Amino acid sequence: MLIVDDEPELVELLAVAVAEAVWQPFRAADGYGALRIARECEPHVVFLDRMLPDLDGPSVLRRLRNQSDSRHGRILGHHPPVTPGAATSGPHLRTLTTRCRRPRT
């Protein structure tokens, strides 16, 4: 799973949560980093922030879809904004881990 957000605390909390759900988290703090990492690791899931310092989330999404050849199973975004405390507790965490189940092979 690739986690793309420019808030390091949120990225780390989400990485811990997805690691507990048996996913290997990859991290990117900006859009260009996300595109580079996605080419290298071919994630099944991308958790993508809408507002990044270099490219906005929708631009990253378009580029991921163009470069992917359908390699990325799901691309998720978080809106309304998720605070670090909410991201790893209650319904937000359950929703994230439920939507991020590995695709069937």
Side-chain angles (χ1 to χ4, degrees):
M1 172 184 233
L2 173 57
I3 302 167
V4 186
D5 201 302
D6 57 341
E7 296 181 38
E9 299 85 10
L10 180 58
V11 172
E12 191 56 35
L13 288 171
L14 288 170
V16 169
V18 299
E20 288 177 4
V22 194
W23 282 87
Q24 179 181 2
F26 298 95
R27 300 163 179 88
D30 58 46
Y32 289 114
L35 295 171
R36 186 187 73 255
I37 292 169
R39 279 191 302 272
E40 295 169 3
C41 71
E42 299 181 11
H44 292 285
V45 177
V46 178
F47 186 86
L48 179 60
D49 188 5
R50 291 181 58 86
M51 295 173 39
L52 297 166
D54 52 1
L55 295 173
D56 63 3
S59 296
V60 174
L61 176 61
R62 281 190 297 279
R63 291 177 185 208
L64 283 172
R65 287 186 172 150
N66 287 336
Q67 83 178 25
S68 74
D69 297 328
S70 301
R71 292 181 300 197
H72 310 297
R74 289 183 173 241
I75 300 176
L76 308 176
H78 61 79
H79 51 92
V82 176
T83 60
T88 58
S89 65
H92 289 294
L93 180 58
R94 280 192 301 279
T95 300
L96 176 65
T97 56
T98 299
R99 291 180 69 187
C100 295
R101 296 213 172 124
R102 292 185 186 273
R104 292 182 186 154
T105 55

